[in-house]
Amino acid sequence: MTDSKKLMRSYLIGFVLSLGLTLIAFVLTTIQSDFQGKAYPDLPLAVALVTLAITQLIVQLLFFFHLGHEAKPRLNLASFLFMLMVVGIVAFGSLWIMYHLNYNMMPHEVETYIQQEENIELDSSNDHEHHH
Amino acid sequence: MSHAEAALRHQAEFAKTTLGFWVYLMTDCVLFACLFATYAVLRGGTAGGPTGAQLFDLNFILIETLLLLASSLTTGIALVGLAAKQTKLIWASLGLTFLLGAGFLGMELYEFGVLLAEGHGPQASAFLTAYFTLVGTHGFHIAVGLLWLLVLVYFLYKRGVTSSFEKRLTMFALFWHFLDIIWIFIFTLVYLMGALS
């Protein structure tokens, strides 16, 4: 098979796979939202959607970008992995910090209310909201 | 300079440009990651206004997604035309890429227009600010890509397939594929998850 035919095949396969993954994601979402309305998506469905997205990412990286197929040194692959690390730190870090910030900034009245209503101890340290 | 030396020169140029452009794309990924993280933090801040579930039309987004995915394919086909030295194929696929990309952008601008007209603009809530910034930045990248495509086509018309054109077309393809990948995460995390909330 000539180079250009191989290349064409690569794009066609990548396209068909991506199309399939996209349609599955949309169908799953549509079925789900027809049946219920919740505050946050079901964990299993959320995981499924993210998995589909990551799979499509890998498909496109392989079939459109030909990542990893370059000659050594594989600098494209290396810088890609580095980017993933930075993104991981930024995204995870932001979500982690903001979640805790949100929690720690909870007004005293709301915290007391929750403790009374649900009969639980919210936080063992007493003065986290008094750091002014 | 002998023929072999010139060929090696071109190859080295090409490899350098490709790596440089790739590293730029990686920095663009970090940019989008920051916008995604911001969106994730702020998506609950609807200020008593509508949530994503109330605003998003999934059928509309599906069509947008298919347009962009198809344009990614046609961009790849342009590279096939390059490899096979079929200039007509390059013309046809670049033309299609532009139409599909412009279709996507048109739909997105329409969507934004409707939101703005209904008063759900980026100043209405933190959720909407984050949404418009994230999706708008992606849309801006698409617009610039379309402009780049026009310039590419102009030089194809003027000077034909030169080694310079090959290099630039390949970089454009990288850019366009990258935008489709960012869109995968936008439609999954913003639209699909949003519609489920």
Side-chain angles (χ1 to χ4, degrees), chain A residues 44-94:
Chain A
L45 179 57
V47 168
L49 287 180
V50 171
T51 310
L52 285 170
I54 294 182
T55 309
Q56 195 179 151
L57 167 68
I58 296 175
V59 162
Q60 293 210 12
L61 283 174
L62 289 177
F63 290 97
F64 289 174
F65 282 99
H66 318 290
L67 188 66
H69 289 173
E70 69 257 29
K72 284 190 191 181
R74 289 192 261 256
L75 292 171
N76 286 3
L77 182 59
S79 61
F80 175 76
L81 294 174
F82 180 74
M83 180 275 293
L84 280 186
M85 185 187 80
V86 171
V87 164
I89 293 172
V90 165
F92 174 73
S94 299

Side-chain angles (χ1 to χ4, degrees), chain B residues 19-197:
Chain B
L19 180 59
F21 196 77
W22 180 259
V23 171
Y24 152 67
L25 286 182
M26 296 299 99
T27 67
D28 226 11
C29 281
V30 175
L31 173 75
F32 275 106
C34 296
L35 296 179
F36 272 110
T38 306
Y39 176 81
V41 168
L42 295 179
R43 64 191 287 260
T46 52
T51 62
Q54 294 158 312
L55 291 174
F56 300 151
D57 176 357
L58 284 191
N59 294 324
F60 198 77
I61 301 303
L62 177 60
I63 297 176
E64 272 186 13
T65 306
L66 296 179
L67 286 178
L68 200 60
L69 182 59
S71 72
S72 219
L73 172 65
T74 52
T75 305
I77 295 178
L79 292 188
V80 171
L82 199 61
K85 302 206 195 305
Q86 290 174 17
T87 313
K88 285 224 173 87
L89 184 58
I90 301 178
W91 275 103
S93 45
L94 288 185
L96 263 184
T97 305
F98 186 84
L99 287 175
L100 293 164
F104 172 89
L105 191 61
M107 286 182 76
E108 188 156 274
L109 288 173
Y110 173 76
E111 186 195 352
F112 279 7
V114 167
L115 285 175
L116 285 169
E118 293 172 349
H120 308 310
Q123 66 278 64
S125 68
F127 155 67
L128 285 167
T129 306
Y131 166 79
F132 271 92
T133 308
L134 173 59
V135 179
T137 303
H138 176 267
F140 180 69
H141 277 71
I142 295 279
V144 171
L146 290 178
L147 190 60
W148 184 359
L149 188 49
L150 287 179
V151 173
L152 264 182
V153 163
Y154 172 76
F155 278 103
L156 178 61
Y157 172 71
K158 269 282 178 155
R159 300 185 186 160
V161 179
T162 61
S163 69
S164 180
F165 175 80
E166 278 192 33
K167 204 169 61 181
R168 289 165 189 177
L169 177 60
T170 312
M171 296 311 111
F172 171 78
L174 286 182
F175 186 68
W176 203 254
H177 291 320
F178 159 77
L179 288 179
D180 193 36
I181 289 186
I182 299 294
W183 183 256
I184 298 174
F185 288 97
I186 292 183
F187 85 71
T188 303
L189 299 174
V190 174
Y191 291 104
L192 293 186
M193 306 266 230
L196 289 171
S197 302

Side-chain angles (χ1 to χ4, degrees), chain A:
Chain A
M1 201 182 285
T2 63
D3 266 346
S4 65
K5 283 220 172 86
K6 264 196 246 173
L7 201 57
M8 183 62 130
R9 206 137 149 289
S10 180
Y11 287 119
L12 286 174
I13 296 177
F15 174 73
V16 169
L17 287 177
S18 298
L19 186 62
L21 291 166
T22 304
L23 291 176
I24 294 175
F26 270 88
V27 166
L28 276 183
T29 309
T30 318
I31 302 179
Q32 192 72 349
S33 56
D34 280 343
F35 281 102
Q36 52 198 275
K38 294 174 151 184
Y40 267 95
D42 260 337
L43 190 58
L45 179 57
V47 168
L49 287 180
V50 171
T51 310
L52 285 170
I54 294 182
T55 309
Q56 195 179 151
L57 167 68
I58 296 175
V59 162
Q60 293 210 12
L61 283 174
L62 289 177
F63 290 97
F64 289 174
F65 282 99
H66 318 290
L67 188 66
H69 289 173
E70 69 257 29
K72 284 190 191 181
R74 289 192 261 256
L75 292 171
N76 286 3
L77 182 59
S79 61
F80 175 76
L81 294 174
F82 180 74
M83 180 275 293
L84 280 186
M85 185 187 80
V86 171
V87 164
I89 293 172
V90 165
F92 174 73
S94 299
L95 292 170
W96 187 37
I97 289 174
M98 293 310 290
Y99 173 78
H100 281 261
L101 184 65
N102 231 3
Y103 180 81
N104 286 343
M105 298 283 279
M106 197 189 296
H108 187 65
E109 310 79 46
V110 176
E111 186 184 10
T112 319
Y113 174 80
I114 293 180
Q115 277 182 188
Q116 284 171 351
E117 286 297 311
E118 305 190 7
N119 238 344
I120 55 178
E121 270 298 313
L122 263 185
D123 187 28
S124 51
S125 99
N126 285 327
D127 62 344
H128 61 248
E129 75 272 336
H130 294 308
H131 292 155
H132 293 307

